[in-house]
Amino acid sequence: MIVVTRLNGTRFAVNPDILERIHESPDTHLVTLDGAAYVVRESLAEVVELIANYRASVLRRAHDLPAVTGYPLSLVRSPEPEEPEEPAKDPEPNHPNGR
């Protein structure tokens, strides 16, 4: 959750995973996926920074969890593309395993 400030000075927490968009005009508006809108004192850049810091803290905490299977949690990367294998050759006729 990130903590932001309404124009009247009250603070509240919002889950950044439900934010659809953030825009300034000139006030900063947070619009959620369900269409709810909140006007906050923080600038667009400040809200983006809060979200980046929140996501970084989630990754740090996940990395610090005890390893259950012997491996710490980490980001999952896409596998490297495999090199195409050469087609298998038929055994030589005089080879002991040949037919």
Side-chain angles (χ1 to χ4, degrees):
M1 303 285 273
I2 62 169
V3 178
V4 290
T5 312
R6 289 186 173 94
L7 295 180
N8 67 7
T10 60
R11 294 171 49 90
F12 70 102
V14 63
N15 180 350
D17 294 331
I18 66 164
L19 293 178
E20 179 180 6
R21 67 182 180 274
I22 306 163
H23 61 91
E24 286 181 321
S25 62
D27 294 326
T28 306
H29 297 254
L30 309 180
V31 182
T32 63
L33 294 171
D34 67 357
Y38 303 97
V39 181
V40 297
R41 287 184 177 180
E42 291 79 8
S43 69
L44 185 143
E46 289 170 319
V47 174
V48 169
E49 184 70 18
L50 287 169
I51 293 170
N53 290 339
Y54 164 76
R55 294 198 194 293
S57 73
V58 169
L59 291 175
R60 271 193 309 277
R61 287 180 184 193
H63 187 270
D64 292 342
L65 288 173
V68 175
T69 60
Y71 299 99
L73 291 176
S74 62
L75 293 175
V76 177
R77 291 184 167 70
S78 299
E80 295 292 325
E82 294 182 19
E83 295 290 325
E85 294 183 22
E86 294 184 24
K89 296 181 181 177
D90 291 332
E92 296 177 22
N94 295 332
H95 191 275
N97 293 334
R99 293 185 187 159

